[in-house]
Amino acid sequence: MGKGEEPEAPRNLPYTECPYVSEDAQANRKLLADAMSAAGFVNYPSEWWHWSYGDAYWGFVSHNPACYTAQEEAAIEAAS
């Protein structure tokens, strides 16, 4: 990049509302967001594909008590 040149816009960023993806990608992300939100899921905004329901993040964003919590690794290993 030379002096006075604008940096190139980032490409394919994973943010849900990223302005640097194509209009089709933006429309598809909005369609997904509308459907998932209507079903009660919450989005992790820095990853368009990351949706939560019932976990601690969902509870924090939706102002509801979490339906389940993370299990400690040792408890998971003991159960298997």
Side-chain angles (χ1 to χ4, degrees):
M1 184 170 76
K3 184 177 179 181
E5 290 181 44
E6 291 291 319
E8 186 174 325
R11 303 228 187 271
N12 299 320
L13 291 178
Y15 292 92
T16 304
E17 295 186 14
C18 178
Y20 300 112
V21 297
S22 71
E23 287 183 18
D24 284 343
Q26 289 178 30
N28 288 335
R29 290 179 185 193
K30 182 176 181 341
L31 179 64
L32 176 67
D34 290 348
M36 295 294 283
S37 296
F41 288 80
V42 297
N43 178 240
Y44 187 68
S46 64
E47 297 174 347
W48 64 266
W49 64 86
H50 188 151
W51 292 83
S52 296
Y53 187 90
D55 62 4
Y57 179 73
W58 169 85
F60 176 76
V61 173
S62 66
H63 306 288
N64 289 299
C67 299
Y68 58 90
T69 59
Q71 297 294 312
E72 290 189 37
E73 186 174 337
I76 294 170
E77 289 176 3
S80 56

